Amino acid sequence: MRPWEANIRQVVPYVPGDQPGGDRLIKLNTNENPYPPSPGAIKALRELETDRLRKYPDPAASVLVEALAGYYGVEADQVFVGVGSDDVIAMSFLTFFNSDKPVMFPDITYSFYKVWADLYRIPYETPALDGDFNIIPEDYEKENGGVIFPNPNAPTGIYMPLEQVEGIIKANQDVVVIVDEAYIDFAGRSALELIGRYENLLVVQTFSKSRSMAGMRIGFAIGNRRLIKALNDVKYSYNSYTMNLPSIVMGTESVRDKAYFKETTDKIIATRERAKKRLSGLGFTYPDSRANFIFASHPRVPAYKLFEALKQEQIYVRYFGGERLCDSLRISIGSDEEMEELFAFLERYLKDFS
Amino acid sequence: MRPWEANIRQVVPYVPGDQPGGDRLIKLNTNENPYPPSPGAIKALRELETDRLRKYPDPAASVLVEALAGYYGVEADQVFVGVGSDDVIAMSFLTFFNSDKPVMFPDITYSFYKVWADLYRIPYETPALDGDFNIIPEDYEKENGGVIFPNPNAPTGIYMPLEQVEGIIKANQDVVVIVDEAYIDFAGRSALELIGRYENLLVVQTFSKSRSMAGMRIGFAIGNRRLIKALNDVKYSYNSYTMNLPSIVMGTESVRDKAYFKETTDKIIATRERAKKRLSGLGFTYPDSRANFIFASHPRVPAYKLFEALKQEQIYVRYFGGERLCDSLRISIGSDEEMEELFAFLERYLKDFS
């Protein structure tokens, strides 16, 4: 080892999922939206005055912040935006979790929480989900340095009723509680309802799933203005200009395009509910998902075997492996046509499988 | 103070410069390029397949990385890309400067270095520039945790000859040395020539100045493949998908558009050289800038007064204040027309000033 290598931060890097290419493939592995971004957002990109690109973007992304504030009925100083919800949450770890006490999140959850805690050398504890993959709220009633969990949880899709979410926040008013609502638009009531009552609550959402804009990298957080100011202070200490102009203008128009948002979200929910019935009919079991994916296992077929067989057919789903996850595949909800191709293959495959 | 506020990271946030709006103003305050992004880059944006935006972008931004590798004659695994050079350098601080010994950078330099060191709690030392604003290479010949400096330096514009740059790298082979070349395309020989000889050298550049794409947020680093791997490991531990699709495709086409790059860069250099003569003729003095700005002071007019008078005329330049900077204004090089308006005003103003 060279001397300069001694000062390099040691991390176990997160390995991003496959992004396979090709026209014929069916991509149900990264929870992307099967529908394109809203027409208003696309129009904004097409009509972007490209001479503006030579200038720095607005560091506060004010038009986007104001559109979000208007949409969610909060003040602009209660909204923080970042380069995807990963950027928003990573910055939240750095900003809010400066404690010697452990931050708490479920043992089975979004795998990045552990990576960020390691990156910033934040201690953490991971209470186990119960036998049906539910978060046990009582586990979070102990001294800690902060709490974060997704609702719905990943990769199970299980939605925790808002009363239970509130219970966790209520029990942890001395620390910041982050509810990661990447999938909430497919699920039910958001913890945003509680923002006014709990000043330690930060709710994080993303444009990558329900708003069909994973390729644009937009995430946001809403909370008490002191939380948002602290996040902005750290953000301005890291990189003042994180969100580029196309993201700002497309994000803004996407928020304004309410009808398209509702239409595509409703379509995905309907496809998901039909998919549940089809999967049940084929013998699969799964936690009751309220997200845009289903975490399904089959009593007869090892998940890894099915994963490989699907891949052969150019149908990509996500296999995690690991003790409690290795029996299941996470299947993103695609278009009805894509799901039909999936089911047609599963029917053939299961008939032949012995 | 509420209990949850105790765990908030305390920072002194960087305050980004004004981004005044309006059509008639002359914006010479943030070193933006007066010319639009390359025609190839604009075409790529116009023709972007918007259906791709629903999917996550390539986390490795491979097409952009390969275009840069080809352009600079290095291997793809020697190139790291990020959301502006601020993102690249902030991540470099986090990755490479894990030492109890102080990181070293000049006392007068890009003001963000201090902010990042504070953010990540990295100790630092700031040797003073000499009386003519030059970096004194010998000051960096002592034990330290890493070295970073811009070449040309900011906000002076002074270019350090490559032999001196090499001297600093040579004297610091036990730590990572970062040469921040945000303005190098307006200056002269790049430290990229030295990459093959010094495995502890990281050279950082940006698309925000010479490539007219501040609004797109693209920066990059080139170095030994072990440095680049360490940066990527940390990046993938922070946010896998930082660079959005429009940035990847526009950045790639910008690199391919060599003729436009040379043409606009040459024009800015020529305008700068004419501006130096005009400023001298008006009685201004300045360090000999090799960047796309001039750091000028006038023996008769206090800089702040001139700054305010220019602002009244809708001509924006940058005033820093502080002990050694308060006599000067940083004037970005605009188009010839913009510079003519500036000089016309300065002539009138100085004639009346008593």
Side-chain angles (χ1 to χ4, degrees):
Chain A
M1 191 165 86
R2 309 292 206 287
W4 52 264
E5 291 184 274
N7 292 344
I8 290 181
R9 184 166 287 248
Q10 297 304 313
V11 293
V12 180
Y14 176 87
V15 180
D18 270 355
Q19 289 289 358
D23 280 343
R24 278 208 49 259
L25 65 86
I26 296 180
K27 195 166 175 308
L28 306 175
N29 68 334
T30 51
N31 298 342
E32 288 146 343
N33 198 305
Y35 306 108
S38 91
I42 290 173
K43 187 162 174 279
L45 184 71
R46 291 283 175 242
E47 294 177 356
L48 187 85
E49 292 171 62
T50 50
D51 186 58
R52 291 173 67 193
L53 295 174
R54 68 184 182 81
K55 294 189 191 166
Y56 284 94
D58 171 16
S62 302
V63 293
L64 176 57
V65 162
E66 276 155 27
L68 285 165
Y71 186 85
Y72 289 106
V74 296
E75 300 296 320
D77 61 4
Q78 293 183 269
V79 181
F80 174 82
V81 294
V83 179
S85 59
D86 282 350
D87 181 43
V88 174
I89 302 174
M91 209 155 281
S92 299
F93 269 63
L94 185 62
T95 305
F96 300 120
F97 293 163
N98 283 286
S99 167
D100 295 333
K101 293 170 199 152
V103 165
M104 300 189 73
F105 47 84
D107 67 336
I108 293 176
T109 193
Y110 185 38
S111 56
F112 241 118
Y113 299 158
K114 194 180 283 204
V115 177
W116 290 318
D118 285 334
L119 177 67
Y120 294 127
R121 296 167 186 164
I122 299 165
Y124 56 91
E125 258 178 45
T126 58
L129 300 183
D130 74 12
D132 297 321
F133 290 117
N134 294 299
I135 291 174
I136 305 169
E138 294 71 31
D139 288 347
Y140 298 81
E141 294 177 10
K142 55 181 288 192
E143 213 181 21
N144 62 60
V147 175
I148 180 166
F149 58 92
N151 194 32
N153 197 11
T156 63
I158 294 175
Y159 172 73
M160 185 191 287
L162 199 58
E163 295 67 32
Q164 283 184 37
V165 172
E166 182 167 6
I168 293 177
I169 300 163
K170 213 168 188 167
N172 288 284
Q173 295 189 59
D174 287 353
V175 296
V176 173
V177 177
I178 302 174
V179 185
D180 176 359
E181 294 190 336
Y183 303 102
I184 196 70
D185 295 321
F186 308 110
R189 286 168 67 194
S190 161
L192 285 171
E193 290 182 33
L194 308 174
I195 288 289
R197 261 179 286 163
Y198 299 96
E199 55 183 22
N200 62 319
L201 168 62
L202 192 77
V203 177
V204 178
Q205 296 189 11
T206 175
F207 282 51
S208 297
K209 275 83 186 191
S210 55
R211 293 193 178 274
S212 306
M213 281 163 68
M216 291 307 294
R217 317 309 306 122
I218 308 174
F220 62 96
I222 296 182
N224 179 284
R225 55 177 56 83
R226 274 183 291 182
L227 294 180
I228 300 305
K229 182 181 182 308
L231 269 177
N232 271 316
D233 284 352
V234 169
K235 173 226 158 118
Y236 288 129
S237 297
Y238 178 79
N239 185 357
S240 313
Y241 304 97
T242 54
M243 193 169 273
N244 69 15
L245 185 64
S247 287
I248 295 172
V249 300
M250 286 189 74
T252 303
E253 292 309 318
S254 166
V255 175
R256 288 178 181 156
D257 222 337
K258 292 179 196 175
Y260 182 83
F261 176 61
K262 182 162 173 21
E263 178 198 327
T264 49
T265 309
D266 285 351
K267 259 163 54 178
I268 291 163
I269 293 169
T271 305
R272 178 189 70 203
E273 295 307 313
R274 282 192 294 272
K276 286 179 185 170
K277 289 194 187 115
R278 295 289 293 274
L279 287 170
S280 294
L282 290 164
F284 284 90
T285 59
Y286 44 82
D288 187 32
S289 171
R290 301 276 285 273
N292 69 337
F293 55 81
I294 298 171
F295 193 60
S297 66
H298 197 280
R300 287 197 296 123
V301 189
Y304 192 73
K305 236 178 153 136
L306 182 54
F307 171 78
E308 287 295 340
L310 284 163
K311 200 166 164 180
Q312 286 291 320
E313 287 290 299
Q314 300 264 70
I315 300 175
Y316 288 80
V317 299
R318 188 83 186 258
Y319 175 74
F320 289 96
E323 202 183 341
R324 291 186 66 193
L325 304 181
C326 62
D327 294 333
S328 302
L329 296 177
R330 191 192 67 187
I331 304 165
S332 305
I333 303 300
S335 66
D336 286 322
E337 296 70 32
E338 290 172 320
M339 299 310 279
E340 280 311 319
E341 289 205 48
L342 169 71
F343 297 131
F345 171 78
L346 289 176
E347 275 166 19
R348 290 198 307 275
Y349 182 80
L350 290 167
K351 201 154 57 183
D352 299 343
F353 193 85
S354 52
Chain B
M1 191 164 87
R2 310 292 206 286
W4 52 264
E5 292 183 274
N7 293 342
I8 290 181
R9 185 167 287 249
Q10 298 304 314
V11 292
V12 180
Y14 175 87
V15 179
D18 270 356
Q19 288 291 357
D23 281 344
R24 278 208 48 258
L25 65 85
I26 296 179
K27 196 166 175 310
L28 305 175
N29 68 334
T30 52
N31 299 343
E32 289 146 344
N33 198 306
Y35 305 108
S38 90
I42 290 174
K43 186 161 175 280
L45 184 72
R46 291 281 175 243
E47 293 177 357
L48 187 84
E49 291 171 64
T50 51
D51 186 59
R52 291 174 67 194
L53 295 174
R54 68 183 183 80
K55 294 189 191 164
Y56 284 94
D58 171 16
S62 303
V63 293
L64 176 57
V65 161
E66 276 155 28
L68 285 167
Y71 186 84
Y72 289 106
V74 297
E75 299 297 319
D77 61 4
Q78 292 182 270
V79 180
F80 174 82
V81 294
V83 179
S85 59
D86 282 350
D87 181 43
V88 174
I89 302 174
M91 210 155 279
S92 299
F93 269 64
L94 185 62
T95 306
F96 300 120
F97 292 163
N98 283 286
S99 167
D100 296 332
K101 292 171 199 151
V103 165
M104 300 189 73
F105 47 84
D107 67 336
I108 293 175
T109 192
Y110 186 37
S111 56
F112 241 118
Y113 299 158
K114 192 179 284 205
V115 177
W116 291 318
D118 285 334
L119 177 67
Y120 295 127
R121 295 167 187 165
I122 299 165
Y124 57 92
E125 259 179 45
T126 57
L129 300 183
D130 74 12
D132 297 320
F133 290 118
N134 294 299
I135 291 173
I136 306 169
E138 294 71 32
D139 289 347
Y140 297 82
E141 294 177 10
K142 54 182 285 191
E143 213 180 21
N144 61 60
V147 174
I148 181 167
F149 58 92
N151 195 31
N153 197 12
T156 63
I158 293 174
Y159 173 73
M160 185 192 288
L162 199 57
E163 294 67 32
Q164 283 184 36
V165 172
E166 182 167 6
I168 293 178
I169 301 163
K170 212 167 189 169
N172 287 283
Q173 295 188 60
D174 286 354
V175 296
V176 174
V177 177
I178 302 174
V179 184
D180 176 0
E181 294 191 335
Y183 303 102
I184 196 70
D185 295 320
F186 308 109
R189 285 168 68 194
S190 161
L192 285 171
E193 290 182 33
L194 307 173
I195 287 290
R197 262 180 287 162
Y198 299 95
E199 54 182 23
N200 62 320
L201 168 63
L202 192 76
V203 177
V204 178
Q205 296 189 10
T206 175
F207 282 51
S208 297
K209 274 82 185 189
S210 55
R211 293 194 178 275
S212 307
M213 282 165 67
M216 291 307 294
R217 317 309 305 124
I218 308 174
F220 62 96
I222 296 182
N224 179 283
R225 55 177 56 82
R226 275 183 290 181
L227 294 180
I228 300 306
K229 182 181 182 307
L231 269 178
N232 271 317
D233 285 352
V234 168
K235 174 227 158 116
Y236 287 130
S237 297
Y238 178 79
N239 185 358
S240 314
Y241 305 98
T242 54
M243 193 169 272
N244 69 14
L245 184 64
S247 287
I248 295 172
V249 300
M250 286 189 75
T252 304
E253 292 309 319
S254 166
V255 174
R256 288 178 182 155
D257 222 337
K258 293 178 198 176
Y260 182 82
F261 176 60
K262 181 160 174 23
E263 178 198 327
T264 49
T265 309
D266 285 350
K267 259 160 60 174
I268 291 163
I269 293 169
T271 305
R272 178 189 71 203
E273 295 306 314
R274 281 192 294 273
K276 285 179 186 170
K277 289 193 188 116
R278 295 290 292 272
L279 287 170
S280 296
L282 290 164
F284 284 90
T285 60
Y286 44 81
D288 186 33
S289 171
R290 301 277 285 270
N292 69 337
F293 57 81
I294 297 172
F295 193 60
S297 66
H298 197 280
R300 286 197 298 123
V301 190
Y304 191 73
K305 234 176 157 140
L306 182 54
F307 171 77
E308 288 295 340
L310 285 163
K311 199 166 164 180
Q312 286 291 321
E313 287 291 300
Q314 301 264 72
I315 300 175
Y316 288 81
V317 299
R318 188 82 185 260
Y319 174 74
F320 290 96
E323 202 182 339
R324 290 187 65 192
L325 304 181
C326 63
D327 294 332
S328 303
L329 296 177
R330 192 192 67 186
I331 303 165
S332 306
I333 303 301
S335 66
D336 285 322
E337 296 70 32
E338 289 172 320
M339 300 309 278
E340 280 310 317
E341 289 205 47
L342 169 72
F343 297 131
F345 171 76
L346 289 176
E347 274 165 22
R348 290 196 307 274
Y349 182 80
L350 290 167
K351 199 153 57 180
D352 298 344
F353 193 85
S354 53

